[in-house]
Amino acid sequence: MVSANQTASVTEFVLLGFSAYPNLEKTFFVLILLMYVAILLGNGVLILVTVSNSHLHTPMYFFLGNLSFLDICYTTSSVPLILDSFLTPRKTICFSACTVQMFLSFAMGATECVLLSLMAFDRYVAICNPLRYPVVMSKAAYVPMAAGSWVAGSTASMVQTSLAMRLPFCGDNIINHFTCEILAVLKLTCADISVNVISMGVTNVIFLGVPVLFISFSYVFIIATILRIPSAEGRKKAFSTCSAHLTVVIVFYGTILFMYGKPKSKAPLGEDKEDLADKLISLFYGVVTPMLNPIIYSLRNKDVKAAVRNLVFQKRFAF
């Protein structure tokens, strides 16, 4: 009863965001707004071409369409809140909205980890076992794979969010972040969070460690297979089919592993210069990475570029 009453007494949270750096807020508002528009346009175009172009109805582009839709969902769950915080003097969010935002952002992040590993498996089968590719990566296989990534990410997020929000909050409702990031919320509780720490550690191993190892081993075999191709043109063609995915993986996991893997400072708020750096790293992961994904796939994939050109020319011809 005490825990329930304490939790119920918290009706809203205050998001500090960049309030300690008011001179940066207008600049960041413009930058984030422009990047958000680019995310919606870039990923929207990728979804459109993968759905409308019959040549792209393959497992790789099906996963890519899911990745683009996921990036739109992920940024939409946080960017409007960030933009609003730059314009509103009182930067608050109600308890229920904070819970929903935390669930969506965690679910999208976990889902993307699994989805990127599935895309690596797709490239592994295509390059290392091309004769078995139509059987292994049939529609009956890759559609449940993609659905499973969404289910796994949502389930993990539900567990982490419910564990966090059942904790009592003892008056301090100031979140030192610009969204309801789960680690920032956990700092506000006055209860023992050992269960949360253990659960978060297990989740990180499953959704960060395992996919990274899986992707790494996949690319070891992929690179070994490519190097055995006798012709230089053949090696170049084979590597081009997975270079975009490898670039996205490096950007995505490089950022998230650095953000969550580095030691967290325990210094009081305002005394640690890493405070701003942590927020900028999180912002890069949450906004810049989803903006880069469609750019990377558009620039490094001939099929996507051709599909986009055909789509543009068809629109022009229609007008």
Side-chain angles (χ1 to χ4, degrees):
M1 290 299 295
V2 174
S3 296
N5 290 335
Q6 286 177 321
T7 304
S9 66
V10 178
T11 59
E12 63 181 18
F13 292 101
V14 178
L15 299 169
L16 287 186
F18 293 108
S19 57
Y21 311 92
N23 295 332
L24 297 177
E25 288 194 323
K26 291 183 179 179
T27 301
F28 275 113
F29 175 83
V30 175
L31 289 176
I32 294 173
L33 178 61
L34 291 176
M35 287 189 288
Y36 184 51
V37 172
I39 289 168
L40 296 179
L41 290 176
N43 288 287
V45 169
L46 272 182
I47 293 173
L48 184 60
V49 297
T50 55
V51 171
S52 62
N53 193 306
S54 59
H55 296 292
L56 301 183
H57 291 175
T58 63
M60 181 175 70
Y61 295 111
F62 179 77
F63 290 142
L64 178 57
N66 273 264
L67 180 64
S68 295
F69 180 69
L70 187 148
D71 283 339
I72 290 176
C73 294
Y74 178 78
T75 52
T76 301
S77 72
S78 58
V79 170
L81 179 64
I82 296 172
L83 294 175
D84 180 69
S85 70
F86 290 143
L87 301 176
T88 308
R90 182 167 174 76
K91 309 172 190 300
T92 59
I93 180 173
C94 67
F95 188 91
S96 58
C98 183
T99 303
V100 172
Q101 196 276 324
M102 185 191 303
F103 168 79
L104 290 176
S105 61
F106 196 99
M108 296 303 104
T111 301
E112 185 158 355
C113 291
V114 179
L115 195 58
L116 287 174
S117 65
L118 293 179
M119 295 173 76
F121 177 73
D122 173 76
R123 291 300 83 205
Y124 163 77
V125 178
I127 294 174
C128 300
N129 297 281
L131 296 180
R132 298 186 59 195
Y133 184 78
V135 177
V136 176
M137 296 304 296
S138 64
K139 189 173 183 179
Y142 69 75
V143 172
M145 286 181 183
S149 68
W150 288 89
V151 172
S154 299
T155 302
S157 181
M158 187 178 298
V159 171
Q160 296 302 326
T161 303
S162 61
L163 286 176
M165 287 309 184
R166 72 175 178 80
L167 295 171
F169 296 91
C170 304
D172 185 3
N173 65 339
I174 300 176
I175 299 176
N176 186 26
H177 213 273
F178 39 75
T179 62
C180 287
E181 200 267 341
I182 190 166
L183 296 179
V185 173
L186 287 176
K187 293 179 180 179
L188 303 182
T189 182
C190 56
D192 179 18
I193 61 171
S194 58
V195 174
N196 301 76
V197 172
I198 295 172
S199 177
M200 185 70 71
V202 173
T203 302
N204 286 342
V205 169
I206 295 173
F207 288 92
L208 286 177
V210 173
V212 166
L213 289 176
F214 184 84
I215 293 171
S216 300
F217 281 115
S218 296
Y219 272 100
V220 167
F221 289 108
I222 288 172
I223 293 172
T225 302
I226 291 175
L227 292 177
R228 288 197 297 268
I229 298 176
S231 67
E233 184 64 26
R235 291 194 296 271
K236 181 179 179 181
K237 184 177 180 180
F239 184 73
S240 67
T241 65
C242 57
S243 59
H245 173 259
L246 184 59
T247 304
V248 169
V249 166
I250 292 172
V251 173
F252 177 81
Y253 278 108
T255 305
I256 197 172
L257 287 173
F258 181 75
M259 181 172 65
Y260 287 108
K262 72 185 186 68
K264 295 293 179 181
S265 173
K266 299 184 181 300
L269 180 63
E271 296 183 10
D272 193 352
K273 294 181 179 180
E274 292 184 359
D275 177 54
L276 178 60
D278 288 344
K279 293 178 181 179
L280 291 176
I281 294 169
S282 179
L283 191 65
F284 181 90
Y285 163 72
V287 181
V288 179
T289 301
M291 182 187 68
L292 291 177
N293 288 349
I295 297 175
I296 293 170
Y297 274 101
S298 297
L299 293 178
R300 303 188 65 88
N301 191 294
K302 294 180 180 180
D303 293 335
V304 173
K305 286 191 289 187
V308 172
R309 282 197 299 268
N310 292 337
L311 180 66
V312 172
F313 288 144
Q314 287 176 2
K315 293 296 182 181
R316 287 182 178 178
F317 183 77
F319 284 109

